[in-house]
Amino acid sequence: MKKFFINTYGCQMNVHESEKLAGILFRRGYERAQSNEDADIILLNTCCIRETAETRILGNLGMIKKIKEKRPDVIVGICGCMPQKPGNAEMLKKRCPFIDIIFGTFNMYKLDEYLDAAENHEKISEIWDKEDKTDDAPIRRDGDIKAFVNIMYGCDNFCSYCIVPYVRGRERSRNFDDIVSEVCSLVRDGYKEITLLGQNVNSYKGGAPEFSHLLRALTTFDGEYRIKFMTSHPKDFTIDVAEAMASSDKIADFIHLPVQSGSDRVLKAMNRRYTSEDYLNKIEMIRSYIPSVGISTDIMVGFPGETEDDYKDTEKLVEKVRFDNIYTFIYSRRSGTVADKMPNQIDLSVKKGRIKRLIDLQFEISDELAEKCVGKTYRVLCDSWNNGIASGKSSCDKTISFQSERNCYGEFLNVKVVKTKKNKLIGELE
Ligand code: SAH
Ligand code: SF4
Ligand code: F3S
């Protein structure tokens, strides 16, 4: 029986799409290989959000080339966002002629057809931008307690630095009833945490007046489970969503709300369509509805023209909000985006200095926040258990480790935080 190995890069959207690729491959009767080395079909499901992502993928292709030299019958396919970026498919064909199949984000569901051709020694390169049908693909989920569910595809926001709208196309929402029935069967199958995926879930329009209606509809099933969602755009996050979250234990008390910068000048140039004050007001509104909410964010340093004062505004915002977690990025030029043509691109050494300061600042904040958790009890979904050591996440997305003689994987448990160890929370079963 033929074996496949999928290398996944990038965001959760890609992680989930790899589950769809796996679904198609299992349907074909293939099975999973342990590594690229023992696979007959090697797929790279790629990301191009930053240059570093592309560099890493090109590096891995060097390693895959060696496998192909040793075993010429291996089929190598590259898909996802990277080939979809204008110019990249041609670049890949030139630099890596050993690749058999090149396809994009819109036509993943055609993998079956592409494999038939490749097995006939044909080369395929098909990038297109027609309506996708990824909903039709069977899904082979990686986990048995956590599941991803697409609620929308693409993005219309065109933040000036971002490649996503170019590689994923216009925003499309999935049908309301299809989502409800998928989540319903996942809950019935024993999944405990379901994450709704979209680049901007708050602008969901698949047959409900707004996203909060979908959220409320997903809280009506029996049993204990949690609904999460990402990503939220601050300009579209409404009071209604906060109310829906506050009204049900079945929606996790957690929001990933990317701010990108604390400088109004930079936010405007990024085309984010909110000011730092708007953002702070939104945080205040959210916390007034859900006092125990966990909030994480994405922040980028070194956007073109970002001055030391602009950067300091970001630090000030981070100090005011006191995020539970921040994901920090160095701005990366993406050809075809508006920001790529902006003057005053910032030196890498300056960007590196700023990201380091930001990470240090957040480290201090996370330390203080962790101390505050000591003595509190959280409802934790255990997602790992090994030899008496368990770990899981609270509704507000805190990771807590604890001891349990019994294998409690997949269970919701009350865990009291008793101490911290370098930012990590250590708890005891109640
Ligand atoms: N749709 C989501 C996230 C998309 S990409 C949102 O709107 O937030 C995830 C993160 O990557 C972004 O939040 C941003 O911080 C970062 N990012 C996007 N483009 C980038 C670029 N050109 N350089 C560096 N970071 C980037
Ligand atoms: Fe990119 Fe902005 Fe869309 Fe997020 S909202 S995917 S950052 S364009
Ligand atoms: Fe995700 Fe990267 Fe594509 S962040 S949408 S896989 S460019």
Side-chain angles (χ1 to χ4, degrees):
M1 194 184 295
K2 289 199 175 165
K3 291 185 179 169
F4 68 88
F5 192 81
I6 306 176
N7 303 270
T8 305
Y9 308 85
C11 63
Q12 288 167 327
M13 195 76 73
N14 259 23
V15 172
H16 186 41
E17 270 160 10
S18 286
E19 295 178 329
K20 295 185 178 179
L21 293 169
I24 297 174
L25 289 156
F26 275 108
R27 189 178 61 190
R28 244 179 121 76
Y30 295 176
E31 61 184 45
R32 227 183 263 281
Q34 292 304 309
S35 67
N36 287 312
E37 278 70 22
D38 64 356
D40 305 294
I41 291 118
I42 298 175
L43 293 182
L44 290 91
N45 189 11
T46 62
C47 172
C48 58
I49 196 84
R50 284 169 286 275
E51 195 182 348
T52 44
E54 293 191 307
T55 311
R56 195 172 139 227
I57 293 160
L58 288 170
N60 289 356
L61 276 167
M63 178 266 292
I64 285 161
K65 181 178 176 209
K66 293 204 179 92
I67 298 178
K68 182 89 176 173
E69 278 165 2
K70 260 193 256 158
R71 294 189 292 127
D73 285 344
V74 169
I75 292 175
V76 178
I78 183 160
C79 61
C81 295
M82 189 178 167
Q84 195 80 48
K85 185 164 166 261
N88 266 356
E90 290 68 29
M91 178 274 287
L92 285 164
K93 261 188 258 175
K94 231 184 256 158
R95 276 180 72 159
C96 308
F98 60 90
I99 298 177
D100 300 287
I101 314 173
I102 301 177
F103 56 118
T105 52
F106 292 87
N107 48 352
M108 286 191 175
Y109 70 97
K110 288 173 82 182
L111 178 61
D112 243 338
E113 205 180 290
Y114 299 152
L115 283 172
D116 285 344
E119 282 165 359
N120 253 331
H121 305 287
E122 278 175 48
K123 292 249 177 210
I124 305 287
S125 174
E126 194 173 62
I127 306 297
W128 69 351
D129 57 2
K130 292 192 196 117
E131 200 61 5
D132 47 348
K133 293 187 200 145
T134 41
D135 287 348
D136 297 349
I139 303 171
R140 179 61 73 104
R141 290 196 157 83
D142 294 334
D144 49 4
I145 55 166
K146 298 186 183 186
F148 292 125
V149 172
N150 284 119
I151 66 162
M152 57 201 295
Y153 304 98
C155 182
D156 283 350
N157 285 315
F158 288 94
C159 302
S160 62
Y161 50 81
C162 186
I163 197 72
V164 171
Y166 303 91
V167 298
R168 292 253 166 201
R170 298 291 60 75
E171 189 179 289
R172 288 102 54 217
S173 291
R174 227 183 126 193
N175 180 282
F176 185 92
D177 295 336
D178 291 349
I179 300 169
V180 173
S181 72
E182 185 172 346
V183 173
C184 176
S185 45
L186 286 168
V187 171
R188 213 181 297 130
D189 290 347
Y191 283 90
K192 306 289 181 204
E193 183 184 293
I194 290 148
T195 304
L196 311 177
L197 295 179
Q199 295 297 350
N200 179 12
V201 290
N202 304 91
S203 70
Y204 174 77
K205 294 175 199 75
E210 77 141 291
F211 177 55
S212 59
H213 294 245
L214 177 65
L215 275 180
R216 286 182 205 272
L218 299 179
T219 61
T220 53
F221 315 120
D222 290 339
E224 190 168 3
Y225 63 91
R226 260 179 210 156
I227 302 288
K228 285 186 172 182
F229 52 89
M230 67 190 322
T231 300
S232 297
H233 195 300
K235 75 176 166 53
D236 297 319
F237 196 99
T238 60
I239 292 183
D240 242 30
V241 172
E243 264 175 2
M245 292 174 74
S247 72
S248 172
D249 286 346
K250 289 180 174 164
I251 307 175
D253 292 339
F254 171 68
I255 302 170
H256 181 61
L257 200 64
V259 65
Q260 313 298 357
S261 168
S263 152
D264 289 343
R265 215 179 53 79
V266 172
L267 285 171
K268 193 163 192 319
M270 286 177 164
N271 191 29
R272 289 291 288 180
R273 287 172 273 175
Y274 53 82
T275 62
S276 58
E277 195 189 342
D278 296 334
Y279 187 88
L280 290 169
N281 288 341
K282 240 165 222 180
I283 296 283
E284 204 181 304
M285 178 277 283
I286 292 165
R287 285 183 170 152
S288 73
Y289 280 96
I290 320 147
S292 63
V293 70
I295 301 177
S296 66
T297 200
D298 291 345
I299 296 181
M300 198 186 301
V301 298
F303 185 80
E306 183 189 70
T307 62
E308 178 62 19
D309 281 350
D310 291 323
Y311 167 74
K312 281 269 165 52
D313 285 344
T314 299
E315 280 195 355
K316 277 183 215 144
L317 183 131
V318 167
E319 277 163 356
K320 276 189 197 147
V321 177
R322 295 170 69 79
F323 293 102
D324 295 274
N325 204 353
I326 66 175
Y327 299 88
T328 50
F329 304 105
I330 286 180
Y331 165 75
S332 168
R333 293 179 82 154
R334 302 284 70 203
S335 56
T337 62
V338 171
D340 186 41
K341 296 179 203 80
M342 288 182 182
N344 301 324
Q345 299 283 334
I346 308 290
D347 274 359
L348 186 60
S349 60
V350 175
K351 292 179 187 170
K352 282 189 171 165
R354 288 182 188 160
I355 201 168
K356 185 176 180 310
R357 281 149 71 197
L358 194 57
I359 291 169
D360 288 348
L361 169 63
Q362 180 59 31
F363 204 80
E364 272 173 41
I365 295 171
S366 297
D367 236 6
E368 289 164 18
L369 292 178
E371 284 309 322
K372 286 200 171 156
C373 298
V374 176
K376 289 190 186 153
T377 297
Y378 295 89
R379 189 85 176 142
V380 166
L381 171 61
C382 172
D383 55 18
S384 93
W385 184 91
N386 192 0
N387 264 332
I389 305 293
S391 167
K393 285 216 171 195
S394 70
S395 175
C396 55
D397 210 49
K398 291 186 192 303
T399 303
I400 307 174
S401 309
F402 54 98
Q403 290 191 338
S404 164
E405 289 302 308
R406 195 172 52 80
N407 184 349
C408 54
Y409 173 80
E411 290 178 29
F412 283 99
L413 305 149
N414 290 334
V415 179
K416 182 174 181 177
V417 176
V418 290
K419 61 178 175 186
T420 64
K421 205 171 165 186
K422 283 192 187 154
N423 264 338
K424 300 225 159 50
L425 303 180
I426 317 289
E428 278 173 5
L429 272 174
E430 279 209 324

